[in-house]
Amino acid sequence: MPGLAIKDGLIRHPFDLEFGVRTSGLVAGRNLAPGLRNGRYMTAYYAVAPSVFQGILARWRSCHAVAPLDAYTFIDLGAGMGRAMLLAANYPFRKVIGVELHPTLARIGRKNLALWRAAGRALAPTRMYCRDAATLSLPSGPCVAFLFNPFTAPVLRRLLRAWSQTLSEQRHGQLDILYVNNEREQVLKCQPGFERLFAGRIRRSHEDAEADRNILTHQPDGEYLAMNWEDCSIYRWTGKRITD
Ligand SMILES: C[S@@+](CC[C@H](N)C(=O)[O-])C[C@H]1O[C@@H](n2cnc3c(N)ncnc32)[C@H](O)[C@@H]1O
């Protein structure tokens, strides 16, 4: 796949070198999309900077979660090769699930998760599904969904509408959404029942900033910008604008 070969500018991120996994690469949406339903709404494959992941998780944990961490299911919507799932599995979540539309990325992600488990790093059970996130039913119990700008507005809107319907039918449904590189923030803002708990920049560590700059400088078409931070937001389902 273009974007996953050295000739296409692939440089391994220090995360992969340290842990012996394969999550590096930058694949434009147009190279992922062919033949996939909802493929035209894909943005790109690129793995989240570990420091940004840890930053948004720490923010979320300071937002007075409604249940202990081990009651939550962590869901990565657009899980790619699973870097965010690996990082999430370092925490004792009830389970960590990922949904990835592209079969090659999902297959690599499963291998990475197996390596993580074999190395004794996974504190939570993990499962990678190869399917369209737009059709994923919300798991029961408290959930925290993670999005690293995986798809454009039509898919996000469809998913949020379906999950809002489910949550408004449940009495005790709990859902928080962690949105990194929140380009389609407006969709969440307009979705009744969600309240924004945080909006701001989360900085990359020096090591991640340097690695991402290096990777993005070598991209063949120069279409993605390297920055020292990600614009992020955190939302919580309160159901208020529906039930009040
Ligand atoms: C920016 S990458 C994020 C990868 C991963 N979450 C991480 O942070 O390391 C976005 C991923 O979303 C996937 N994706 C896009 N649309 C999707 C959809 N409708 N259903 C499932 N996955 C999708 C892409 O194939 C890509 O791997």
Side-chain angles (χ1 to χ4, degrees):
M1 205 190 302
L4 297 184
I6 305 280
K7 68 175 169 50
D8 299 313
L10 178 81
I11 294 173
R12 293 184 76 196
H13 189 282
F15 177 83
D16 286 8
L17 298 173
E18 181 176 353
F19 298 111
V21 291
R22 182 181 170 199
T23 62
S24 304
L26 171 58
V27 188
R30 64 176 174 281
N31 294 324
L32 291 168
L36 297 176
R37 191 170 171 268
N38 276 343
R40 68 194 153 123
Y41 304 119
M42 295 166 112
T43 52
Y45 171 72
Y46 195 64
V48 68
S51 51
V52 171
F53 180 89
Q54 275 140 11
I56 198 161
L57 206 72
R59 274 280 171 182
W60 171 65
R61 295 186 76 183
S62 69
C63 289
H64 306 290
V66 292
L69 197 72
D70 61 6
Y72 276 89
T73 299
F74 179 98
I75 311 163
D76 187 3
L77 296 163
M81 300 190 208
R83 189 187 292 170
M85 291 180 71
L86 302 176
L87 291 162
N90 283 338
Y91 296 82
F93 283 108
R94 179 177 163 216
K95 49 190 170 164
V96 171
I97 66 174
V99 193
E100 172 53 48
L101 189 56
H102 199 285
T104 304
L105 299 179
R107 183 169 42 76
I108 299 170
R110 286 188 185 118
K111 273 195 194 161
N112 287 328
L113 289 160
L115 285 169
W116 213 248
R117 271 193 301 276
R121 291 198 187 91
L123 300 184
T126 57
R127 179 121 192 225
M128 169 78 85
Y129 296 93
C130 184
R131 56 182 286 190
D132 184 354
T135 62
L136 181 76
S137 303
L138 186 66
S140 59
C143 291
V144 55
F146 174 82
L147 296 102
F148 180 26
N149 191 17
F151 30 69
T152 56
V155 173
L156 183 57
R157 203 175 291 120
R158 182 171 162 200
L159 179 73
L160 290 175
R161 283 188 185 148
W163 283 10
S164 298
Q165 183 64 34
T166 305
L167 287 160
S168 57
E169 286 163 10
Q170 292 173 351
R171 279 190 56 199
H172 302 293
Q174 300 291 346
L175 171 67
D176 289 343
I177 296 182
L178 316 184
Y179 192 9
V180 174
N181 187 6
N182 55 4
E183 277 185 5
R184 279 85 195 180
E185 163 96 349
Q186 200 53 30
V187 177
L188 259 159
K189 268 193 187 158
C190 294
Q191 180 63 42
F194 286 92
E195 185 185 322
R196 195 167 72 177
L197 303 181
F198 167 77
R201 288 177 174 172
I202 296 190
R203 292 191 71 80
R204 284 177 161 74
S205 66
H206 180 71
E207 184 190 43
D208 283 341
E210 201 175 281
D212 283 340
R213 204 174 310 114
N214 201 11
I215 292 166
L216 292 171
T217 304
H218 287 84
Q219 60 184 312
D221 301 325
E223 56 198 307
Y224 299 97
L225 272 180
M227 294 206 272
N228 288 346
W229 71 84
E230 295 281 9
D231 287 314
C232 297
S233 44
I234 300 179
Y235 282 80
R236 175 163 292 165
W237 169 260
T238 61
K240 273 196 186 134
R241 286 156 65 191
I242 286 180
T243 53
D244 285 358

